[in-house]
Amino acid sequence: METAHGSVRVLYFARLREAFGTSGETMDLAPGLCTVADLRERLALRGGVWAEELAGSRVVRFAVNQTLCPPAHALSAGDEIAVFPPVTGG
Amino acid sequence: MAVRVQREAFDIGAEIDRLRAGRTSVGAVASFMGVMRDFNDGSGVQSMVLEHYPGMTERALESIVAEAGERWPLIDTLVVHRVGELRPSDPIVLVVTLSAHREAALAACAFIMDFLKTRAPFWKKERTPAGERWVEARASDDRAADRWQEGDGA
């Protein structure tokens, strides 16, 4: 089985940044961590505030390399993945 | 086509004058200015802080403006959005569209605002008498953006 290599940069904004207590981290791509949905699941498994924000049906948006992406979007090494609540500008 | 994200206030009159200077084919100038309210969701609001995602914000706004330019015959477009701390009655956002005729200018201005509200990565945090709170997105904003998809056949 082919495994993914390399890492991705994960950024958090607004309420999620405050809840998680960090604005970002680097994560290694691994088998089972191939899509945006996998990333959400992986982060939710940390429990606590991570599960509160990400495990349920709460709406969370993802941008990969600064473009909004659906959960099925595939991740690649070097991607910048942003995780944030629905936007409220304007 | 210009997009600016800035902390400073802006002057709507000066921005419009600068955008249309020397352009004698302009027959219609439409603009929208969003201003900070001192109330929201049943509570007073003393101030707010606007956070954004530098880089993606500019890309998202440029993409929205480009899409408006494909849908309507626009001569030029300006979007200015503030970040940082704001107080009641402060201007937050400005959209100006120039066209030969009003239909295109008005529709493009509304389109850009509807998409900005749902796609551009800005977040508002309000300071109220009961403490700080993040503003929740509204379903009505999603519906406003969705209406532009109707009849597209896409």
Side-chain angles (χ1 to χ4, degrees):
Chain A
M1 194 178 92
E2 192 148 336
T3 57
H5 293 285
S7 61
V8 293
R9 184 76 192 149
V10 187
L11 306 176
Y12 308 110
F13 287 95
R15 189 191 71 237
L16 298 184
R17 173 178 48 76
E18 285 189 347
F20 300 157
T22 177
S23 59
E25 62 187 299
T26 299
M27 287 178 73
D28 288 330
L29 288 175
L33 178 51
C34 307
T35 65
V36 163
D38 294 340
L39 175 68
R40 179 174 184 161
E41 199 181 313
R42 182 71 57 106
L43 294 173
L45 283 175
R46 292 173 175 176
V49 290
W50 299 87
E52 259 170 54
E53 294 286 354
L54 302 172
S57 57
R58 225 168 167 174
V59 179
V60 176
R61 306 273 190 232
F62 293 85
V64 177
N65 299 326
Q66 306 189 349
T67 300
L68 286 168
C69 282
H73 185 90
L75 303 180
S76 305
D79 278 351
E80 175 178 291
I81 305 153
V83 187
F84 48 78
V87 301
T88 57
Chain B
M1 308 286 176
V3 158
R4 285 186 352 238
V5 179
Q6 63 186 45
R7 299 185 71 87
E8 310 77 51
F10 53 80
D11 176 337
I12 182 172
E15 296 291 353
I16 290 175
D17 287 348
R18 194 155 42 230
L19 195 64
R20 70 190 194 87
R23 289 172 148 153
T24 49
S25 65
V26 171
V29 179
S31 65
F32 173 85
M33 182 167 79
V35 175
M36 190 191 151
R37 284 190 307 272
D38 67 358
F39 69 94
N40 191 32
D41 281 338
S43 145
V45 182
Q46 295 152 336
S47 65
M48 69 163 61
V49 175
L50 259 151
E51 174 176 334
H52 77 124
Y53 178 2
M56 180 176 169
T57 311
E58 291 81 359
R59 284 176 65 150
L61 294 175
E62 280 162 10
S63 148
I64 294 164
V65 165
E67 196 172 334
E70 283 167 19
R71 289 182 176 226
W72 294 280
L74 302 175
I75 294 166
D76 206 351
T77 305
L78 171 68
V79 178
V80 182
H81 202 299
R82 294 180 70 191
V83 292
E85 186 166 2
L86 298 177
R87 302 196 164 270
S89 86
D90 279 352
I92 303 172
V93 59
L94 174 67
V95 175
V96 183
T97 51
L98 306 184
S99 188
H101 302 286
R102 74 181 182 284
E103 292 85 355
L106 287 167
C109 188
F111 170 91
I112 290 168
M113 269 314 297
D114 286 345
F115 275 61
L116 182 155
K117 296 281 285 186
T118 52
R119 292 192 188 175
F122 293 101
W123 301 273
K124 290 174 181 154
K125 188 184 200 181
E126 298 174 333
R127 197 157 57 85
T128 76
E132 293 187 334
R133 65 182 186 189
W134 288 99
V135 173
E136 296 283 334
R138 295 171 195 270
S140 59
D141 286 334
D142 285 326
R143 286 195 296 275
D146 285 347
R147 76 193 157 111
W148 297 102
Q149 315 285 353
E150 286 164 16
D152 279 0

